[in-house]
Amino acid sequence: MNTSWSILFSYRLGSEEFELRGLSGGATFADGVRIVVEQRKLPLGERILFHAEPAPGGEGLFPVAERLELRLRCSSCEAVFLNGYQSWTESRELEAEVFPFRFRRLFRPWTNHYLLDRYGDACFTGRSFSKKRYHGFSFATLREGKQVTLLAGMMEDRAFSRIEWRSERHGRGYLSFLPELSSNKISGVRTLMDLVVLTGEEEAVYDGWASAANGFGPVEPGESLGGWTSWYDHYEKVTEEDVLRVLDSWQRLSLPPGVIQIDDGWQQSVGDWLRVKSTFSRGMAPLAADISRAGMEPGLWLAPFIAEGSSLLFAGHRDWFLIDDAAEPLAAGNNPFNWSGCFYALNIYHPEVRTYLRTLFSIIVKQWGFRFLKLDFLYAAALRRPEGKTRGEVMRDAVAFLREISGDAKLLGCGVPLVSAAGLVEYCRVGADAALRWEDRRLRALGYPERVSTLNALRSTISRRGLDGRFFLNDPDVFLLRDWNSDLNEQERFTLFLCNHIFGSLLFTGDDPGRYDEATLALFRSGYPLRKKHGLRVNRIGECFEIEFSIGTLCYLAFINLENRPHHVTLASGLYYAYGEGFRREGPLDLRPHQSICFLVVGETDFAVAGSTGMLFPGSEVEKIDVDGEHVTLSLVPGTLSEGLLFFRAPQGAGGCSVNGIDIEAEEKVGFRLCVVEKRLL
């Protein structure tokens, strides 16, 4: 990738403007402020810091930059990715000269009525109607072939980094890195900007960022989890009986332990968390105990930083809430569909708010017994910032406080700027809410980037894959396999299922598995055991993705077509095996709109695993395999649910082999000799 640096530092004082260009040395500005540029070499690039300090002899407070900008000019670039402001903000890689549209003017009355600009950054950066540039936050990538340049902020806990892409022509353009400034005055030395710029293969540059950032916090990513959440079938009408019915299904079908999460709808009003609906007649503690006794982990949804206008909390403590320019409580959004309408943002620095939240979390975790908390609508904490603080500081303070008061409970952050949650939660949502249909055309036409949309969720899940396991484990939101209460077709349901299992580490469903037919239950079971994917490499043509990865020693090739038209690909020479498809050889492959498929790429060594029935990732249930001549010894991963057949590639001319002491004759299939063994015998 052909890139070059162009550094611009602008400083304004009255009618005067000063600029610093280049990356060497420093510059002394008017009124005794000195800007020092520091460069630190890293294995794949460098770390760049801008420090401001009073010049010798200076004292007291000094004016400093009103705007600081670092430009990375690119003379050849195929694609650009800019991370969206928070979990739900559409974030996808685009061709260098393609731009998303945001909040179309035509629909401004609708945007204003539903306060749609409050959910993202439009309320403080402005609504963008430009077709020449767009922006994101915290990190971005430029791609040319297999080479990726990653630009990432290193002080997001102190100041958000806004990143703009401006396209010129023929792949040329530049990224502007604009750190948030809390004040235009300094005393002593202050770091105004800190970022890394790394170039290499995708996995390597994300590893380099995580290493330089040291994970951004003390909390290690959790372990991969599966489970159920109530929202996507019952929404706010969930009852205790609904939860117990799913819990019974999980036990009756002997599904692996996971989380049973009660989502929005258990409380009488958002904000009145200790007032439980009558549909949970026993209260929350007995239900959490039932879930625990069943060997599952009880999970609970709450939105700790907001309250509905109809809530008792809002009525009794209006002084606890952030205020707008008119000194009225600040609305964080408007939801007349599931809630009573407008909801408002709490002031996390108000001492009584902090006492209230500390008491609330103690009751939920210690008295009620919930060990997994989904904390939603967290963006609301930073809608307004106190004088002298940046939005990044406020957001990080807010998440750190939740971490402190949650004790040993596992946390899932949602509706949150992602880097603000890094190192403070075990899991974090990386996309929008999935929907019961592929796309909401009305909200897409509006240009609403935080819209509920399955397509929106899939795009962000794929594009934010580099965060998984480095700063937290990625939650791609739920998959839905059911054919009731859903407008997703069979291909779309499978695409959502496959994409979540490749790129996600929190695998929740919104379905009651007890209602599945035999084939759907078999597909659900095919995702277990949950296994780590390594070496992800993604090639994108339009919105069709070719994905290579490995599980253990096995290699896989997946195709995910998000486009509304067929896509044609070609399989290279070799032998492949896919769930529900069986074996196939090289040649053309036609993908229908929204269709996906995942192949095991069969190795060429003698007795290589060649596939298995009943597994989304065929052969991944094999934990260990040893080959000694024609004797094969293997073990299966604990938690394997599927039975059926396991295939091995036999040498040409071989009559068979022994698998765990069982003699197997080789069979001729698709031009290869294969040994076939029943998994139940192993």
Side-chain angles (χ1 to χ4, degrees), residues 139 215 219-222 411 413 416-430 464-475 505 532:
F139 67 100
V219 177
E220 294 291 328
L411 300 186
V416 63
L418 301 185
V419 183
S420 298
L424 293 176
V425 300
E426 287 82 2
Y427 307 91
C428 191
R429 174 75 72 78
V430 293
R464 286 166 159 170
R465 60 189 176 271
L467 302 175
D468 188 45
R470 294 182 173 95
F471 301 108
F472 38 65
L473 292 185
N474 284 9
D475 168 27
S505 293
K532 178 69 176 174

PDB file of all heavy atoms in Angstrom, residues 139 215 219-222 411 413 416-430 464-475 505 532:
ATOM      1  N   PHE A 139     -10.964   3.575  15.456  1.00  0.00           N
ATOM      2  CA  PHE A 139     -10.032   2.849  14.599  1.00  0.00           C
ATOM      3  C   PHE A 139     -10.586   2.735  13.190  1.00  0.00           C
ATOM      4  O   PHE A 139     -11.799   2.820  12.956  1.00  0.00           O
ATOM      5  CB  PHE A 139      -9.683   1.472  15.173  1.00  0.00           C
ATOM      6  CG  PHE A 139     -10.810   0.476  15.210  1.00  0.00           C
ATOM      7  CD1 PHE A 139     -10.915  -0.515  14.237  1.00  0.00           C
ATOM      8  CD2 PHE A 139     -11.747   0.504  16.235  1.00  0.00           C
ATOM      9  CE1 PHE A 139     -11.945  -1.438  14.282  1.00  0.00           C
ATOM     10  CE2 PHE A 139     -12.771  -0.429  16.291  1.00  0.00           C
ATOM     11  CZ  PHE A 139     -12.873  -1.404  15.305  1.00  0.00           C
ATOM     12  N   GLY A 215      -4.667  -4.619  25.876  1.00  0.00           N
ATOM     13  CA  GLY A 215      -6.074  -4.980  26.087  1.00  0.00           C
ATOM     14  C   GLY A 215      -6.968  -3.848  26.551  1.00  0.00           C
ATOM     15  O   GLY A 215      -8.162  -4.020  26.712  1.00  0.00           O
ATOM     16  N   VAL A 219      -9.751  -6.600  32.481  1.00  0.00           N
ATOM     17  CA  VAL A 219     -10.633  -7.754  32.341  1.00  0.00           C
ATOM     18  C   VAL A 219     -10.259  -8.560  31.101  1.00  0.00           C
ATOM     19  O   VAL A 219     -10.256  -8.037  29.981  1.00  0.00           O
ATOM     20  CB  VAL A 219     -12.113  -7.316  32.256  1.00  0.00           C
ATOM     21  CG1 VAL A 219     -13.027  -8.519  32.044  1.00  0.00           C
ATOM     22  CG2 VAL A 219     -12.510  -6.574  33.524  1.00  0.00           C
ATOM     23  N   GLU A 220      -9.951  -9.827  31.286  1.00  0.00           N
ATOM     24  CA  GLU A 220      -9.657 -10.706  30.165  1.00  0.00           C
ATOM     25  C   GLU A 220     -10.962 -11.101  29.481  1.00  0.00           C
ATOM     26  O   GLU A 220     -11.997 -11.237  30.130  1.00  0.00           O
ATOM     27  CB  GLU A 220      -8.937 -11.972  30.655  1.00  0.00           C
ATOM     28  CG  GLU A 220      -7.556 -11.721  31.214  1.00  0.00           C
ATOM     29  CD  GLU A 220      -6.566 -11.296  30.140  1.00  0.00           C
ATOM     30  OE1 GLU A 220      -6.717 -11.759  28.992  1.00  0.00           O
ATOM     31  OE2 GLU A 220      -5.671 -10.493  30.445  1.00  0.00           O
ATOM     32  N   PRO A 221     -10.934 -11.277  28.144  1.00  0.00           N
ATOM     33  CA  PRO A 221     -12.136 -11.769  27.476  1.00  0.00           C
ATOM     34  C   PRO A 221     -12.599 -13.079  28.106  1.00  0.00           C
ATOM     35  O   PRO A 221     -11.789 -13.874  28.595  1.00  0.00           O
ATOM     36  CB  PRO A 221     -11.664 -11.996  26.034  1.00  0.00           C
ATOM     37  CG  PRO A 221     -10.509 -11.058  25.864  1.00  0.00           C
ATOM     38  CD  PRO A 221      -9.825 -11.036  27.206  1.00  0.00           C
ATOM     39  N   GLY A 222     -13.912 -13.301  28.125  1.00  0.00           N
ATOM     40  CA  GLY A 222     -14.464 -14.501  28.750  1.00  0.00           C
ATOM     41  C   GLY A 222     -14.290 -15.725  27.868  1.00  0.00           C
ATOM     42  O   GLY A 222     -13.499 -15.742  26.931  1.00  0.00           O
ATOM     43  N   LEU A 411     -20.212  -9.419  32.299  1.00  0.00           N
ATOM     44  CA  LEU A 411     -20.896  -8.283  31.702  1.00  0.00           C
ATOM     45  C   LEU A 411     -20.894  -8.374  30.187  1.00  0.00           C
ATOM     46  O   LEU A 411     -19.874  -8.700  29.565  1.00  0.00           O
ATOM     47  CB  LEU A 411     -20.231  -6.977  32.126  1.00  0.00           C
ATOM     48  CG  LEU A 411     -20.185  -6.669  33.628  1.00  0.00           C
ATOM     49  CD1 LEU A 411     -19.622  -5.277  33.855  1.00  0.00           C
ATOM     50  CD2 LEU A 411     -21.558  -6.820  34.267  1.00  0.00           C
ATOM     51  N   GLY A 413     -21.635  -5.665  27.337  1.00  0.00           N
ATOM     52  CA  GLY A 413     -21.902  -4.268  27.031  1.00  0.00           C
ATOM     53  C   GLY A 413     -22.661  -4.147  25.725  1.00  0.00           C
ATOM     54  O   GLY A 413     -22.387  -4.879  24.767  1.00  0.00           O
ATOM     55  N   VAL A 416     -22.878   0.755  23.198  1.00  0.00           N
ATOM     56  CA  VAL A 416     -21.754   1.434  23.842  1.00  0.00           C
ATOM     57  C   VAL A 416     -20.644   1.666  22.820  1.00  0.00           C
ATOM     58  O   VAL A 416     -20.420   0.822  21.936  1.00  0.00           O
ATOM     59  CB  VAL A 416     -21.225   0.573  25.024  1.00  0.00           C
ATOM     60  CG1 VAL A 416     -20.677  -0.762  24.558  1.00  0.00           C
ATOM     61  CG2 VAL A 416     -20.172   1.325  25.823  1.00  0.00           C
ATOM     62  N   PRO A 417     -19.934   2.794  22.863  1.00  0.00           N
ATOM     63  CA  PRO A 417     -18.718   2.937  22.062  1.00  0.00           C
ATOM     64  C   PRO A 417     -17.752   1.808  22.416  1.00  0.00           C
ATOM     65  O   PRO A 417     -17.428   1.600  23.593  1.00  0.00           O
ATOM     66  CB  PRO A 417     -18.178   4.305  22.483  1.00  0.00           C
ATOM     67  CG  PRO A 417     -19.404   5.067  22.897  1.00  0.00           C
ATOM     68  CD  PRO A 417     -20.271   4.049  23.574  1.00  0.00           C
ATOM     69  N   LEU A 418     -17.310   1.059  21.416  1.00  0.00           N
ATOM     70  CA  LEU A 418     -16.664  -0.227  21.681  1.00  0.00           C
ATOM     71  C   LEU A 418     -15.380  -0.114  22.487  1.00  0.00           C
ATOM     72  O   LEU A 418     -15.143  -0.897  23.411  1.00  0.00           O
ATOM     73  CB  LEU A 418     -16.393  -0.945  20.355  1.00  0.00           C
ATOM     74  CG  LEU A 418     -17.624  -1.238  19.497  1.00  0.00           C
ATOM     75  CD1 LEU A 418     -17.235  -2.058  18.277  1.00  0.00           C
ATOM     76  CD2 LEU A 418     -18.698  -1.966  20.294  1.00  0.00           C
ATOM     77  N   VAL A 419     -14.524   0.842  22.144  1.00  0.00           N
ATOM     78  CA  VAL A 419     -13.242   0.917  22.838  1.00  0.00           C
ATOM     79  C   VAL A 419     -13.438   1.388  24.277  1.00  0.00           C
ATOM     80  O   VAL A 419     -12.615   1.094  25.148  1.00  0.00           O
ATOM     81  CB  VAL A 419     -12.262   1.803  22.054  1.00  0.00           C
ATOM     82  CG1 VAL A 419     -10.898   1.833  22.721  1.00  0.00           C
ATOM     83  CG2 VAL A 419     -12.100   1.269  20.626  1.00  0.00           C
ATOM     84  N   SER A 420     -14.547   2.073  24.564  1.00  0.00           N
ATOM     85  CA  SER A 420     -14.841   2.448  25.954  1.00  0.00           C
ATOM     86  C   SER A 420     -15.083   1.219  26.823  1.00  0.00           C
ATOM     87  O   SER A 420     -14.871   1.259  28.039  1.00  0.00           O
ATOM     88  CB  SER A 420     -16.082   3.347  26.009  1.00  0.00           C
ATOM     89  OG  SER A 420     -15.877   4.540  25.307  1.00  0.00           O
ATOM     90  N   ALA A 421     -15.549   0.130  26.215  1.00  0.00           N
ATOM     91  CA  ALA A 421     -15.839  -1.090  26.961  1.00  0.00           C
ATOM     92  C   ALA A 421     -14.664  -2.058  26.978  1.00  0.00           C
ATOM     93  O   ALA A 421     -14.679  -3.030  27.748  1.00  0.00           O
ATOM     94  CB  ALA A 421     -17.066  -1.787  26.361  1.00  0.00           C
ATOM     95  N   ALA A 422     -13.661  -1.817  26.143  1.00  0.00           N
ATOM     96  CA  ALA A 422     -12.541  -2.753  26.018  1.00  0.00           C
ATOM     97  C   ALA A 422     -11.840  -2.954  27.350  1.00  0.00           C
ATOM     98  O   ALA A 422     -11.496  -1.989  28.039  1.00  0.00           O
ATOM     99  CB  ALA A 422     -11.555  -2.240  24.973  1.00  0.00           C
ATOM    100  N   GLY A 423     -11.641  -4.203  27.726  1.00  0.00           N
ATOM    101  CA  GLY A 423     -10.948  -4.512  28.967  1.00  0.00           C
ATOM    102  C   GLY A 423     -11.767  -4.320  30.217  1.00  0.00           C
ATOM    103  O   GLY A 423     -11.254  -4.506  31.324  1.00  0.00           O
ATOM    104  N   LEU A 424     -13.055  -3.961  30.074  1.00  0.00           N
ATOM    105  CA  LEU A 424     -13.912  -3.765  31.243  1.00  0.00           C
ATOM    106  C   LEU A 424     -15.117  -4.702  31.234  1.00  0.00           C
ATOM    107  O   LEU A 424     -15.798  -4.836  32.250  1.00  0.00           O
ATOM    108  CB  LEU A 424     -14.399  -2.315  31.315  1.00  0.00           C
ATOM    109  CG  LEU A 424     -13.325  -1.259  31.579  1.00  0.00           C
ATOM    110  CD1 LEU A 424     -13.925   0.140  31.522  1.00  0.00           C
ATOM    111  CD2 LEU A 424     -12.655  -1.482  32.932  1.00  0.00           C
ATOM    112  N   VAL A 425     -15.410  -5.309  30.094  1.00  0.00           N
ATOM    113  CA  VAL A 425     -16.507  -6.274  29.991  1.00  0.00           C
ATOM    114  C   VAL A 425     -15.965  -7.547  29.351  1.00  0.00           C
ATOM    115  O   VAL A 425     -15.007  -7.507  28.571  1.00  0.00           O
ATOM    116  CB  VAL A 425     -17.684  -5.722  29.157  1.00  0.00           C
ATOM    117  CG1 VAL A 425     -18.256  -4.455  29.785  1.00  0.00           C
ATOM    118  CG2 VAL A 425     -17.277  -5.460  27.711  1.00  0.00           C
ATOM    119  N   GLU A 426     -16.594  -8.661  29.685  1.00  0.00           N
ATOM    120  CA  GLU A 426     -16.174  -9.925  29.071  1.00  0.00           C
ATOM    121  C   GLU A 426     -16.690 -10.051  27.642  1.00  0.00           C
ATOM    122  O   GLU A 426     -16.045 -10.675  26.786  1.00  0.00           O
ATOM    123  CB  GLU A 426     -16.681 -11.116  29.895  1.00  0.00           C
ATOM    124  CG  GLU A 426     -15.955 -11.333  31.212  1.00  0.00           C
ATOM    125  CD  GLU A 426     -16.454 -10.434  32.337  1.00  0.00           C
ATOM    126  OE1 GLU A 426     -17.408  -9.653  32.106  1.00  0.00           O
ATOM    127  OE2 GLU A 426     -15.901 -10.507  33.450  1.00  0.00           O
ATOM    128  N   TYR A 427     -17.870  -9.469  27.377  1.00  0.00           N
ATOM    129  CA  TYR A 427     -18.518  -9.578  26.071  1.00  0.00           C
ATOM    130  C   TYR A 427     -19.022  -8.200  25.656  1.00  0.00           C
ATOM    131  O   TYR A 427     -19.395  -7.379  26.503  1.00  0.00           O
ATOM    132  CB  TYR A 427     -19.702 -10.555  26.126  1.00  0.00           C
ATOM    133  CG  TYR A 427     -19.340 -11.910  26.687  1.00  0.00           C
ATOM    134  CD1 TYR A 427     -19.447 -12.174  28.059  1.00  0.00           C
ATOM    135  CD2 TYR A 427     -18.865 -12.922  25.863  1.00  0.00           C
ATOM    136  CE1 TYR A 427     -19.099 -13.402  28.577  1.00  0.00           C
ATOM    137  CE2 TYR A 427     -18.514 -14.158  26.380  1.00  0.00           C
ATOM    138  CZ  TYR A 427     -18.626 -14.398  27.740  1.00  0.00           C
ATOM    139  OH  TYR A 427     -18.274 -15.617  28.251  1.00  0.00           O
ATOM    140  N   CYS A 428     -19.063  -7.968  24.343  1.00  0.00           N
ATOM    141  CA  CYS A 428     -19.574  -6.686  23.867  1.00  0.00           C
ATOM    142  C   CYS A 428     -20.290  -6.879  22.534  1.00  0.00           C
ATOM    143  O   CYS A 428     -19.785  -7.591  21.643  1.00  0.00           O
ATOM    144  CB  CYS A 428     -18.436  -5.678  23.699  1.00  0.00           C
ATOM    145  SG  CYS A 428     -19.011  -3.980  23.407  1.00  0.00           S
ATOM    146  N   ARG A 429     -21.454  -6.267  22.424  1.00  0.00           N
ATOM    147  CA  ARG A 429     -22.190  -6.289  21.153  1.00  0.00           C
ATOM    148  C   ARG A 429     -21.403  -5.513  20.118  1.00  0.00           C
ATOM    149  O   ARG A 429     -20.938  -4.401  20.380  1.00  0.00           O
ATOM    150  CB  ARG A 429     -23.570  -5.671  21.341  1.00  0.00           C
ATOM    151  CG  ARG A 429     -24.354  -5.508  20.043  1.00  0.00           C
ATOM    152  CD  ARG A 429     -24.908  -6.818  19.536  1.00  0.00           C
ATOM    153  NE  ARG A 429     -25.994  -7.225  20.399  1.00  0.00           N
ATOM    154  CZ  ARG A 429     -27.224  -6.702  20.347  1.00  0.00           C
ATOM    155  NH1 ARG A 429     -27.515  -5.743  19.468  1.00  0.00           N
ATOM    156  NH2 ARG A 429     -28.165  -7.128  21.157  1.00  0.00           N
ATOM    157  N   VAL A 430     -21.291  -6.088  18.915  1.00  0.00           N
ATOM    158  CA  VAL A 430     -20.521  -5.440  17.853  1.00  0.00           C
ATOM    159  C   VAL A 430     -21.384  -5.086  16.646  1.00  0.00           C
ATOM    160  O   VAL A 430     -20.853  -4.680  15.602  1.00  0.00           O
ATOM    161  CB  VAL A 430     -19.330  -6.315  17.412  1.00  0.00           C
ATOM    162  CG1 VAL A 430     -18.309  -6.426  18.530  1.00  0.00           C
ATOM    163  CG2 VAL A 430     -19.789  -7.689  16.939  1.00  0.00           C
ATOM    164  N   ARG A 464     -16.156  -5.963  12.195  1.00  0.00           N
ATOM    165  CA  ARG A 464     -15.505  -5.732  13.495  1.00  0.00           C
ATOM    166  C   ARG A 464     -14.887  -7.006  14.059  1.00  0.00           C
ATOM    167  O   ARG A 464     -14.593  -7.092  15.256  1.00  0.00           O
ATOM    168  CB  ARG A 464     -16.529  -5.166  14.477  1.00  0.00           C
ATOM    169  CG  ARG A 464     -16.890  -3.703  14.208  1.00  0.00           C
ATOM    170  CD  ARG A 464     -18.126  -3.277  14.946  1.00  0.00           C
ATOM    171  NE  ARG A 464     -18.231  -1.828  15.103  1.00  0.00           N
ATOM    172  CZ  ARG A 464     -19.314  -1.198  15.543  1.00  0.00           C
ATOM    173  NH1 ARG A 464     -20.404  -1.891  15.871  1.00  0.00           N
ATOM    174  NH2 ARG A 464     -19.335   0.111  15.669  1.00  0.00           N
ATOM    175  N   ARG A 465     -14.635  -7.964  13.210  1.00  0.00           N
ATOM    176  CA  ARG A 465     -14.120  -9.267  13.636  1.00  0.00           C
ATOM    177  C   ARG A 465     -12.777  -9.163  14.346  1.00  0.00           C
ATOM    178  O   ARG A 465     -12.440 -10.010  15.184  1.00  0.00           O
ATOM    179  CB  ARG A 465     -13.991 -10.195  12.429  1.00  0.00           C
ATOM    180  CG  ARG A 465     -13.051  -9.662  11.352  1.00  0.00           C
ATOM    181  CD  ARG A 465     -13.107 -10.475  10.068  1.00  0.00           C
ATOM    182  NE  ARG A 465     -12.270  -9.909   9.009  1.00  0.00           N
ATOM    183  CZ  ARG A 465     -12.672  -9.000   8.138  1.00  0.00           C
ATOM    184  NH1 ARG A 465     -13.908  -8.528   8.201  1.00  0.00           N
ATOM    185  NH2 ARG A 465     -11.849  -8.558   7.210  1.00  0.00           N
ATOM    186  N   GLY A 466     -11.983  -8.144  14.025  1.00  0.00           N
ATOM    187  CA  GLY A 466     -10.647  -8.034  14.597  1.00  0.00           C
ATOM    188  C   GLY A 466     -10.618  -7.769  16.087  1.00  0.00           C
ATOM    189  O   GLY A 466      -9.577  -7.931  16.732  1.00  0.00           O
ATOM    190  N   LEU A 467     -11.750  -7.379  16.681  1.00  0.00           N
ATOM    191  CA  LEU A 467     -11.792  -7.096  18.121  1.00  0.00           C
ATOM    192  C   LEU A 467     -11.949  -8.365  18.955  1.00  0.00           C
ATOM    193  O   LEU A 467     -11.598  -8.386  20.134  1.00  0.00           O
ATOM    194  CB  LEU A 467     -12.950  -6.146  18.422  1.00  0.00           C
ATOM    195  CG  LEU A 467     -12.932  -4.793  17.699  1.00  0.00           C
ATOM    196  CD1 LEU A 467     -14.198  -4.012  18.007  1.00  0.00           C
ATOM    197  CD2 LEU A 467     -11.700  -3.989  18.088  1.00  0.00           C
ATOM    198  N   ASP A 468     -12.491  -9.423  18.354  1.00  0.00           N
ATOM    199  CA  ASP A 468     -12.862 -10.622  19.100  1.00  0.00           C
ATOM    200  C   ASP A 468     -11.645 -11.289  19.731  1.00  0.00           C
ATOM    201  O   ASP A 468     -10.658 -11.599  19.055  1.00  0.00           O
ATOM    202  CB  ASP A 468     -13.563 -11.619  18.168  1.00  0.00           C
ATOM    203  CG  ASP A 468     -14.141 -12.792  18.913  1.00  0.00           C
ATOM    204  OD1 ASP A 468     -14.770 -12.586  19.966  1.00  0.00           O
ATOM    205  OD2 ASP A 468     -13.976 -13.948  18.448  1.00  0.00           O
ATOM    206  N   GLY A 469     -11.718 -11.510  21.041  1.00  0.00           N
ATOM    207  CA  GLY A 469     -10.645 -12.185  21.757  1.00  0.00           C
ATOM    208  C   GLY A 469      -9.470 -11.305  22.097  1.00  0.00           C
ATOM    209  O   GLY A 469      -8.543 -11.738  22.789  1.00  0.00           O
ATOM    210  N   ARG A 470      -9.494 -10.070  21.619  1.00  0.00           N
ATOM    211  CA  ARG A 470      -8.379  -9.158  21.902  1.00  0.00           C
ATOM    212  C   ARG A 470      -8.757  -8.127  22.964  1.00  0.00           C
ATOM    213  O   ARG A 470      -7.941  -7.800  23.822  1.00  0.00           O
ATOM    214  CB  ARG A 470      -7.946  -8.460  20.613  1.00  0.00           C
ATOM    215  CG  ARG A 470      -7.354  -9.438  19.597  1.00  0.00           C
ATOM    216  CD  ARG A 470      -6.887  -8.737  18.338  1.00  0.00           C
ATOM    217  NE  ARG A 470      -6.176  -9.663  17.466  1.00  0.00           N
ATOM    218  CZ  ARG A 470      -6.717 -10.334  16.457  1.00  0.00           C
ATOM    219  NH1 ARG A 470      -8.013 -10.187  16.193  1.00  0.00           N
ATOM    220  NH2 ARG A 470      -6.002 -11.167  15.733  1.00  0.00           N
ATOM    221  N   PHE A 471      -9.979  -7.589  22.884  1.00  0.00           N
ATOM    222  CA  PHE A 471     -10.422  -6.577  23.843  1.00  0.00           C
ATOM    223  C   PHE A 471     -11.634  -7.044  24.648  1.00  0.00           C
ATOM    224  O   PHE A 471     -11.931  -6.507  25.705  1.00  0.00           O
ATOM    225  CB  PHE A 471     -10.753  -5.283  23.108  1.00  0.00           C
ATOM    226  CG  PHE A 471      -9.591  -4.735  22.337  1.00  0.00           C
ATOM    227  CD1 PHE A 471      -9.557  -4.790  20.955  1.00  0.00           C
ATOM    228  CD2 PHE A 471      -8.510  -4.185  23.000  1.00  0.00           C
ATOM    229  CE1 PHE A 471      -8.484  -4.288  20.246  1.00  0.00           C
ATOM    230  CE2 PHE A 471      -7.429  -3.675  22.300  1.00  0.00           C
ATOM    231  CZ  PHE A 471      -7.411  -3.732  20.919  1.00  0.00           C
ATOM    232  N   PHE A 472     -12.356  -8.017  24.123  1.00  0.00           N
ATOM    233  CA  PHE A 472     -13.500  -8.681  24.735  1.00  0.00           C
ATOM    234  C   PHE A 472     -13.886  -9.775  23.757  1.00  0.00           C
ATOM    235  O   PHE A 472     -13.221  -9.958  22.721  1.00  0.00           O
ATOM    236  CB  PHE A 472     -14.680  -7.712  24.954  1.00  0.00           C
ATOM    237  CG  PHE A 472     -14.893  -6.706  23.858  1.00  0.00           C
ATOM    238  CD1 PHE A 472     -15.255  -7.098  22.575  1.00  0.00           C
ATOM    239  CD2 PHE A 472     -14.715  -5.348  24.085  1.00  0.00           C
ATOM    240  CE1 PHE A 472     -15.436  -6.179  21.556  1.00  0.00           C
ATOM    241  CE2 PHE A 472     -14.890  -4.418  23.070  1.00  0.00           C
ATOM    242  CZ  PHE A 472     -15.251  -4.843  21.804  1.00  0.00           C
ATOM    243  N   LEU A 473     -14.927 -10.532  24.049  1.00  0.00           N
ATOM    244  CA  LEU A 473     -15.455 -11.486  23.075  1.00  0.00           C
ATOM    245  C   LEU A 473     -16.650 -10.858  22.379  1.00  0.00           C
ATOM    246  O   LEU A 473     -17.504 -10.231  23.010  1.00  0.00           O
ATOM    247  CB  LEU A 473     -15.845 -12.808  23.744  1.00  0.00           C
ATOM    248  CG  LEU A 473     -14.679 -13.644  24.286  1.00  0.00           C
ATOM    249  CD1 LEU A 473     -15.178 -14.980  24.815  1.00  0.00           C
ATOM    250  CD2 LEU A 473     -13.619 -13.881  23.214  1.00  0.00           C
ATOM    251  N   ASN A 474     -16.706 -11.029  21.060  1.00  0.00           N
ATOM    252  CA  ASN A 474     -17.727 -10.368  20.253  1.00  0.00           C
ATOM    253  C   ASN A 474     -19.091 -11.031  20.400  1.00  0.00           C
ATOM    254  O   ASN A 474     -19.213 -12.260  20.286  1.00  0.00           O
ATOM    255  CB  ASN A 474     -17.331 -10.380  18.781  1.00  0.00           C
ATOM    256  CG  ASN A 474     -16.251  -9.373  18.453  1.00  0.00           C
ATOM    257  OD1 ASN A 474     -15.662  -8.756  19.356  1.00  0.00           O
ATOM    258  ND2 ASN A 474     -15.980  -9.177  17.185  1.00  0.00           N
ATOM    259  N   ASP A 475     -20.086 -10.198  20.627  1.00  0.00           N
ATOM    260  CA  ASP A 475     -21.491 -10.631  20.605  1.00  0.00           C
ATOM    261  C   ASP A 475     -22.103 -10.127  19.303  1.00  0.00           C
ATOM    262  O   ASP A 475     -22.320  -8.932  19.136  1.00  0.00           O
ATOM    263  CB  ASP A 475     -22.249 -10.046  21.802  1.00  0.00           C
ATOM    264  CG  ASP A 475     -23.757 -10.220  21.669  1.00  0.00           C
ATOM    265  OD1 ASP A 475     -24.191 -11.176  21.001  1.00  0.00           O
ATOM    266  OD2 ASP A 475     -24.501  -9.383  22.219  1.00  0.00           O
ATOM    267  N   SER A 505     -18.486 -14.947  19.481  1.00  0.00           N
ATOM    268  CA  SER A 505     -18.100 -15.811  20.603  1.00  0.00           C
ATOM    269  C   SER A 505     -19.191 -15.892  21.656  1.00  0.00           C
ATOM    270  O   SER A 505     -19.037 -16.597  22.645  1.00  0.00           O
ATOM    271  CB  SER A 505     -16.808 -15.296  21.244  1.00  0.00           C
ATOM    272  OG  SER A 505     -15.713 -15.435  20.366  1.00  0.00           O
ATOM    273  N   LYS A 532     -12.840 -22.345  18.947  1.00  0.00           N
ATOM    274  CA  LYS A 532     -12.152 -21.126  18.533  1.00  0.00           C
ATOM    275  C   LYS A 532     -11.706 -21.232  17.075  1.00  0.00           C
ATOM    276  O   LYS A 532     -11.176 -22.257  16.650  1.00  0.00           O
ATOM    277  CB  LYS A 532     -10.933 -20.891  19.436  1.00  0.00           C
ATOM    278  CG  LYS A 532     -10.099 -19.674  19.084  1.00  0.00           C
ATOM    279  CD  LYS A 532     -10.822 -18.399  19.377  1.00  0.00           C
ATOM    280  CE  LYS A 532      -9.945 -17.185  19.122  1.00  0.00           C
ATOM    281  NZ  LYS A 532     -10.681 -15.911  19.273  1.00  0.00           N
TER     282      LYS A 532
END
